[in-house]
Amino acid sequence: MFSIIAYVWLITGGLLEPVWVLSMKKSNNFTDKKWTVLTAFFVVVSPFFLSLAMREIPVGTAYAVWTGIGAIGATALGVFLYKEAVERRRLFFIFLIIVGSVGLGLGGV
């Protein structure tokens, strides 16, 4: 059964995944206490939302979509905040992540 709230939890958790990745980078190898605490917080909160989504979404689908959102978000942050290279090959594989995540999401409907 399709549940909008389950996908809201899943997308929320997925969007929080790159937040902890970014805060981990900012923590300077966990030497900056403020960023270390933020990293720990989001490392717990992001999977918590994933767990809420998995009440109604199959585990494999939820995890694939969650990590896909996280991977795309982390890549986007790298490009926009750290001026990482944007290459056609990289964009192609990000596109494949999106297509796969959408396909898995639709397959669970």
Side-chain angles (χ1 to χ4, degrees), residues 8-94:
V8 169
W9 295 136
L10 182 59
I11 291 167
T12 301
L15 291 173
L16 292 176
E17 191 177 2
V19 173
W20 72 257
V21 171
L22 177 64
S23 64
M24 184 169 55
K25 182 169 179 64
K26 295 273 195 180
S27 77
N28 195 25
N29 293 325
F30 302 111
T31 58
D32 184 315
K33 283 187 179 184
K34 176 182 82 171
W35 288 106
T36 299
V37 169
L38 282 172
T39 300
F41 174 76
F42 286 112
V43 161
V44 172
V45 172
S46 178
F48 173 73
F49 283 113
L50 172 64
S51 73
L52 293 176
M54 287 191 302
R55 292 177 179 172
E56 298 184 35
I57 300 172
V59 173
T61 300
Y63 183 71
V65 172
W66 180 70
T67 57
I69 293 169
I72 292 165
T75 302
L77 286 172
V79 168
F80 292 114
L81 297 177
Y82 299 106
K83 309 297 183 228
E84 294 177 358
V86 179
E87 302 166 353
R88 287 183 194 196
R89 186 178 308 149
R90 192 174 192 190
L91 292 175
F92 172 72
F93 288 115
I94 289 171

